Amino acid sequence: MKLRPEMTGDALTRLKRARGQLNAVIEMIENGDDCRATLTQLAAVSKAIDRAGFKIIASGMRHCGRARDGGEEPEMTEEELEKLFLALA
């Protein structure tokens, strides 16, 4: 299934924000900052990336459901979407 802007807008925003957070984490490590603060920020980056992935999968599920409801063959099966979902979990 190809990613479309209407499917990825919120996820892309989250990923761009996570990119900025990750750059800050890298700087914290390079500067020898406090371990706790660094790991807290790293956990936030990880969570943001996971949420972006879940948003993309949720959009794909809606997209394929609409196709199925419209009598069309969806681009991905429910099993394929489930496998992608579980890869993130």
Side-chain angles (χ1 to χ4, degrees):
M1 172 172 50
K2 292 197 182 242
L3 296 175
R4 295 172 182 82
E6 66 272 12
M7 296 171 65
T8 59
D10 189 43
L12 187 57
T13 300
R14 288 175 184 267
L15 288 171
K16 287 180 179 181
R17 191 175 310 127
R19 179 174 50 191
Q21 287 177 299
L22 182 56
N23 286 337
V25 169
I26 291 169
E27 285 181 28
M28 292 172 82
I29 292 170
E30 290 174 342
N31 294 336
D33 288 4
D34 179 68
C35 176
R36 276 174 273 198
T38 303
L39 290 175
T40 299
Q41 289 304 310
L42 186 59
V45 171
S46 179
K47 191 171 189 174
I49 291 170
D50 288 345
R51 286 180 182 235
F54 290 130
K55 283 280 194 182
I56 292 170
I57 289 173
S59 294
M61 292 172 74
R62 283 191 299 274
H63 175 75
C64 290
R66 282 192 297 270
R68 202 172 1 277
D69 291 346
E72 300 173 26
E73 185 69 27
E75 296 177 58
M76 294 183 77
T77 66
E78 290 178 8
E79 291 79 18
E80 290 171 317
L81 287 165
E82 179 181 4
K83 184 176 180 180
L84 290 173
F85 174 82
L86 293 173
L88 291 174

